[in-house]
Amino acid sequence: MGLVPDVILALNFLIDGQWQGLFSYVLFIGFAVMSILIGLKLWVEAERKKGLWTLLKQAFQQDKEEAGNLAKSFLKPSGAKTIIKILGQIALIDEVLEPREKEFVQTFANNWNINFDWDELTSNRAGSNKVNYVKLRQDFSDYLATSPPDKQVSQLKDVITALINVDEEVSEQEQLILGELNGLFSRYLDQHDNLEVYHVVVAPQSDRQEEVIANSFPELSRYSVGEGHAYNNGPFYSKQYAQIICEQYRSLNLFSIVAASLPA
């Protein structure tokens, strides 16, 4: 991928007669070609008899097998079924199940001897992306509530990052949920230096709204503010995710805002 723009820029310098720039990019091209040949193991004695195309296909196959190696290095945890469920939801968070994403998750399921039903996962998804975000975060929070070892949680963070990047394209939905999950990872692993935190604040405007909050939103915690009180849901670690939660309350005509810290 880096070789193509280097060649184009080198040709541009050649046409413009800019010899210093041309010389620089000729060096870059040389380094790129050398890296490719080394990656193809062209100087390995056992590989010399194979054609260049065979070596290229072999290199791609090795990349494909990396997911399997990652699965083997991640020993089967006690919450393996929950982890597979979480990975499946992440693969579907943008409503598009790419073959490489499915294969990545299935590699872990196979390695841990888990019969994972993709049809059931798909049929149980809500029609709204916002509901799926909330369900995924709740399942992930429930997993962390079982107090898994830090090493296992750190490995899961690497696995989720690899899954989101496996198709070489990170969608807006994946970026949003990754930001929220990374915040939960950081809090659990005590790596929360400079971690941005957001709260959703709900302020009831009538006795009827007080009743709705008390009966329908047990996740809201009441706190004093000024001469009155308000309700808080959080913390959250992605402003976009906090905004999704905020909009759910607004849809019921409840006054709510996203705050970087709780209003005093």
Side-chain angles (χ1 to χ4, degrees):
M1 292 177 65
L3 188 60
V4 174
D6 284 348
V7 171
I8 294 174
L9 288 169
L11 289 174
N12 183 63
F13 282 125
L14 177 62
I15 293 171
D16 292 344
Q18 298 182 28
W19 308 116
Q20 184 176 357
L22 174 62
F23 179 73
S24 297
Y25 275 93
V26 167
L27 288 177
F28 291 151
I29 292 169
F31 288 135
V33 171
M34 185 66 69
S35 298
I36 292 170
L37 295 179
I38 292 173
L40 295 177
K41 301 179 181 179
L42 196 63
W43 285 280
V44 177
E45 187 173 353
E47 305 288 332
R48 289 176 183 173
K49 296 181 181 179
K50 298 179 181 179
L52 186 61
W53 178 245
T54 301
L55 290 173
L56 188 61
K57 289 192 293 183
Q58 183 175 293
F60 281 121
Q61 182 63 30
Q62 287 175 345
D63 285 342
K64 187 177 179 181
E65 290 172 355
E66 284 184 358
N69 295 333
L70 185 58
K72 291 176 183 177
S73 68
F74 191 175
L75 298 179
K76 183 176 180 178
S78 57
K81 288 186 178 180
T82 301
I83 289 175
I84 294 297
K85 182 180 177 183
I86 290 170
L87 294 178
Q89 291 180 76
I90 292 173
L92 274 167
I93 198 66
D94 55 3
E95 304 303 327
V96 178
L97 182 59
E98 292 286 346
R100 282 176 288 184
E101 293 175 333
K102 182 176 181 180
E103 183 179 0
F104 184 95
V105 177
Q106 193 63 50
T107 298
F108 284 86
N110 294 343
N111 194 64
W112 293 341
N113 296 316
I114 295 175
N115 183 19
F116 186 58
D117 191 338
W118 286 96
D119 292 333
E120 180 181 352
L121 175 66
T122 304
S123 61
N124 288 338
R125 289 182 66 75
S128 168
N129 252 348
K130 296 178 181 178
V131 175
N132 292 325
Y133 287 137
V134 175
K135 185 177 185 304
L136 170 56
R137 188 189 191 276
Q138 185 59 55
D139 286 346
F140 185 74
S141 297
D142 290 344
Y143 161 73
L144 293 181
T146 64
S147 301
D150 285 2
K151 181 178 179 181
Q152 183 186 118
V153 174
S154 183
Q155 286 178 319
L156 179 57
K157 182 179 180 180
D158 292 339
V159 168
I160 289 176
T161 300
L163 169 59
I164 286 180
N165 289 280
V166 73
D167 60 353
E168 300 176 0
E169 182 178 348
V170 180
S171 66
E172 291 182 9
Q173 296 91 336
E174 290 172 333
Q175 189 172 8
L176 187 155
I177 200 62
L178 182 61
E180 184 63 22
L181 296 184
N182 277 342
L184 291 169
F185 274 123
S186 297
R187 185 183 69 175
Y188 189 88
L189 297 172
D190 289 328
Q191 300 171 347
H192 36 66
D193 291 343
N194 301 319
L195 184 64
E196 294 184 354
V197 177
Y198 301 93
H199 295 265
V200 175
V201 178
V202 180
Q205 306 296 304
S206 66
D207 292 340
R208 173 58 181 162
Q209 289 189 352
E210 286 273 10
E211 184 179 346
V212 169
I213 291 173
N215 295 332
S216 303
F217 302 109
E219 74 277 9
L220 290 173
S221 57
R222 178 170 170 164
Y223 73 100
S224 298
V225 50
E227 297 181 355
H229 63 271
Y231 292 85
N232 164 54
N233 189 3
F236 303 109
Y237 304 96
S238 161
K239 188 174 183 179
Q240 291 86 348
Y241 183 86
Q243 193 64 45
I244 288 173
I245 302 300
C246 185
E247 288 172 1
Q248 291 183 343
Y249 298 128
R250 289 177 179 174
S251 67
L252 298 175
N253 295 321
L254 294 172
F255 178 81
S256 58
I257 61 170
V258 174
S261 59
L262 289 180

